[in-house]
Amino acid sequence: MTRILHRSIAQDYPTAVSGKGVTIRDAEGRDYIDASGGAAVSCLGHSHPDVLAAMHAQLDQLAYAHTSFFTTKVAEQLGETLIADAPAGMGHVYYVSGGSEAVEAALKMARQYCVEIGQPQRTKFIARRQSYHGNTLGALAVGGNEWRRKQFAPLLIETHHVSAPFDYRGRRADESPEQYGERLAQELEAEIIRLGPDTVIGFIAETVGGATAGCITAPPGYFRRVREICDRHGVLLILDEVMCGMGRTGTLHACTQEGVAPDLMTIAKGLGGGFAPIGAVLVADRVFDAFRSGSGMFQHGHTYLGHPLACAAALAVQTVIKRDSLLDNVKAQGAHLARRLNERFGNHHHVGDIRGRGLFQAIELVADRGTKETFDPKHKLNARIKREAMARGLMVYPMGGTVDGVHGDHVLIAPPFIVDHSTIDVIVDRLAEAVDASLQDIA
Ligand SMILES: Cc1ncc(COP(=O)(O)O)c(C=O)c1O
């Protein structure tokens, strides 16, 4: 009997009681390797002593001070740190408590920017199909996962969706990756022109598509062309790095590898590493300057933004990542993970694609490798894999609807940045067992 409206009402969840390093233990004493960091959150694993110490110290000083009365030293220090390492031209940070809140704030900031610069006729967003930007109404509106949007569609703001880069399913046999990227960029420009360039506020995209499509990376040159197109039409580029950012792909920001800087960028998950709920929007100078010389404020705010305990956690997480050169480990272990996944699943009859970057990798399951046909959604293959993996003491992040919101299954693997070779070997072995057990009576 539970009084909680859990994510799935029918399901019984084990009770997590402790965590250490890459492992979570439940009330029955069972250990689970956290190979997905929850949902790509726990970048330092669990109970990191330096983060806990920083949080305890902050609690002893001050747990909360409302941001309409005070700033705090810890929030300012975190801001300095984030901006010191931000993409070029991004000079300010706006705090929130998670990814969806970050996306909501970025959408409102983008709209207010248009008003501040005297272009209030800009009211539309463009986003990508099969994207995930969160579950609040604004974030859901820009999100491109049809299943998640369907019943709430009448409540959502106007958003138009274009194709996301999806090499495995979207690139034609006669196209190079570069040509594919160019085709997608042209599709974006055509959509901007169709809508009327001066009616579009911004284009929002995950730099590496995460939860709903499973680690889809952009073809070379795609984001540089997107940046050019946005600039040409006065459309803001909003990159959502809630999942793929803060080091997960091997660089602090995924957009560094694409050679672009956005106008607004959302971060969360790995920012606080799960030690406290925190997210943020990084703001380009041109947006900040429009606010400063215009109304002088951003018309937004939440009770818990800039929470000192959350800022202390995030500051400690980011300090440890830098001090321990953990992004080097993300690159090294990411390469090992990709290698091991390819060894185990490269010839698997029901794994069509293995993709990702750094410690952000996915396998896509197919009924037929030749035709790329998906399994019937009625089998709920992704849910089976999750169950079988948990039964083997492994947390991975499987999801259905990979292709169009309904069809397709993938499994996302996103272990903490402290993971080592031998743990990755165990992760891949257990995942292979879980996948095979899940396929037993349906393949
Ligand atoms: C890219 C992206 N944006 C936004 C969100 C929403 O973040 P949250 O669940 O913290 O609200 C997620 C969550 O998975 C995400 O992956």
Side-chain angles (χ1 to χ4, degrees):
M1 173 65 171
T2 174
R3 291 292 177 190
I4 299 174
L5 200 175
H6 282 287
R7 282 179 181 247
S8 168
I9 293 173
Q11 195 180 325
D12 286 330
Y13 295 86
T15 302
V17 291
S18 64
K20 199 162 180 38
V22 298
T23 304
I24 289 186
R25 178 166 292 178
D26 74 12
E28 311 290 321
R30 278 191 292 263
D31 286 335
Y32 304 84
I33 298 178
D34 188 357
S36 56
V41 176
S42 303
C43 55
L44 286 187
H46 302 277
S47 303
H48 195 290
D50 298 345
V51 182
L52 298 189
M55 292 177 76
H56 287 144
Q58 183 60 46
L59 265 185
D60 288 340
Q61 289 269 317
L62 177 71
Y64 178 67
H66 195 281
T67 46
S68 70
F69 298 85
F70 295 105
T71 185
T72 55
K73 197 168 153 203
V74 68
E76 297 290 345
Q77 277 177 339
L78 178 61
E80 291 292 339
T81 302
L82 292 176
I83 293 311
D85 296 326
M90 310 200 87
H92 288 83
V93 56
Y94 185 85
Y95 295 123
V96 289
S97 299
S100 303
E101 277 190 17
V103 171
E104 292 291 329
L107 298 177
K108 283 182 70 180
M109 231 178 248
R111 164 64 189 165
Q112 188 177 326
Y113 169 77
C114 296
V115 176
E116 299 280 3
I117 63 168
Q119 300 187 11
Q121 79 287 353
R122 290 186 186 264
T123 56
K124 299 165 190 164
F125 284 100
I126 301 178
R128 302 193 311 195
R129 282 189 275 282
Q130 272 312 92
S131 56
Y132 183 65
H133 296 293
N135 263 328
T136 50
L137 287 176
L140 194 62
V142 290
N145 182 275
E146 281 312 315
W147 174 77
R148 283 182 171 74
R149 290 168 51 92
K150 201 167 172 199
Q151 68 171 322
F152 302 104
L155 310 184
L156 304 180
I157 55 174
E158 184 175 351
T159 306
H160 301 266
H161 291 93
V162 294
S163 305
F166 198 159
D167 189 88
Y168 174 59
R169 292 190 175 275
R171 179 159 68 87
R172 292 195 304 251
D174 64 349
E175 263 176 339
S176 68
E178 288 78 4
Q179 287 167 332
Y180 178 43
E182 177 58 29
R183 173 159 67 86
L184 294 173
Q186 283 177 15
E187 182 185 333
L188 170 64
E189 183 155 40
E191 186 64 4
I192 293 173
I193 291 166
R194 187 185 74 79
L195 293 170
D198 68 343
T199 70
V200 179
I201 298 172
F203 173 59
I204 179 166
E206 295 163 89
T207 315
V208 178
T212 42
C215 298
I216 46 171
T217 52
Y222 165 80
F223 271 112
R224 275 194 293 275
R225 285 284 289 125
V226 164
R227 178 73 270 185
E228 268 170 40
I229 290 165
C230 287
D231 286 345
R232 181 157 50 245
H233 298 291
V235 168
L236 291 176
L237 175 60
I238 307 169
L239 290 183
D240 183 352
E241 298 212 356
V242 164
M243 192 177 250
C244 65
M246 301 316 289
R248 180 124 311 270
T249 64
T251 48
L252 188 63
H253 304 300
C255 63
T256 308
Q257 296 177 56
E258 307 298 341
V260 296
D263 299 300
L264 297 167
M265 184 161 77
T266 54
I267 54 175
K269 296 186 187 275
L271 172 59
F275 289 92
I278 184 165
V281 184
L282 300 185
V283 186
D285 295 335
R286 77 183 237 228
V287 176
F288 179 82
D289 290 344
F291 281 49
R292 184 173 48 191
S293 58
S295 66
M297 68 173 300
F298 172 38
Q299 196 177 357
H300 196 58
H302 296 292
T303 300
Y304 289 120
L305 64 83
H307 194 284
L309 187 60
C311 290
L315 183 59
V317 168
Q318 298 313 314
T319 304
V320 169
I321 289 174
K322 228 182 199 176
R323 184 197 68 195
D324 296 352
S325 304
L326 286 178
L327 298 191
D328 292 344
N329 200 48
V330 172
K331 289 189 195 111
Q333 303 301 336
H336 184 61
L337 176 60
R339 201 161 44 240
R340 290 305 323 276
L341 288 173
N342 276 288
E343 279 164 20
R344 275 316 272 261
F345 296 108
N347 292 318
H348 195 289
H349 286 316
H350 297 295
V351 175
D353 195 25
I354 302 166
R355 54 180 179 251
R357 200 171 275 168
L359 285 175
F360 197 45
Q361 305 270 337
I363 58 171
E364 183 175 334
L365 287 304
V366 287
D368 184 318
R369 271 170 69 123
T371 62
K372 303 184 183 176
E373 188 191 333
T374 58
F375 281 100
D376 190 326
K378 77 169 189 245
H379 295 307
K380 295 193 168 67
L381 176 58
N382 57 91
R384 285 177 181 229
I385 294 174
K386 187 170 180 182
R387 231 177 9 251
E388 294 290 348
M390 283 292 273
R392 288 164 176 78
L394 179 70
M395 292 163 60
V396 286
Y397 200 58
M399 193 69 76
T402 314
V403 182
D404 55 8
V406 177
H407 299 92
D409 301 87
H410 67 266
V411 182
L412 203 146
I413 306 125
F417 302 174
I418 54 170
V419 75
D420 58 22
H421 263 47
S422 58
T423 309
I424 284 180
D425 294 346
V426 177
I427 290 170
V428 175
D429 289 347
R430 288 189 193 174
L431 177 60
E433 284 175 24
V435 166
D436 288 338
S438 308
L439 288 167
Q440 233 164 36
D441 49 341
I442 60 172

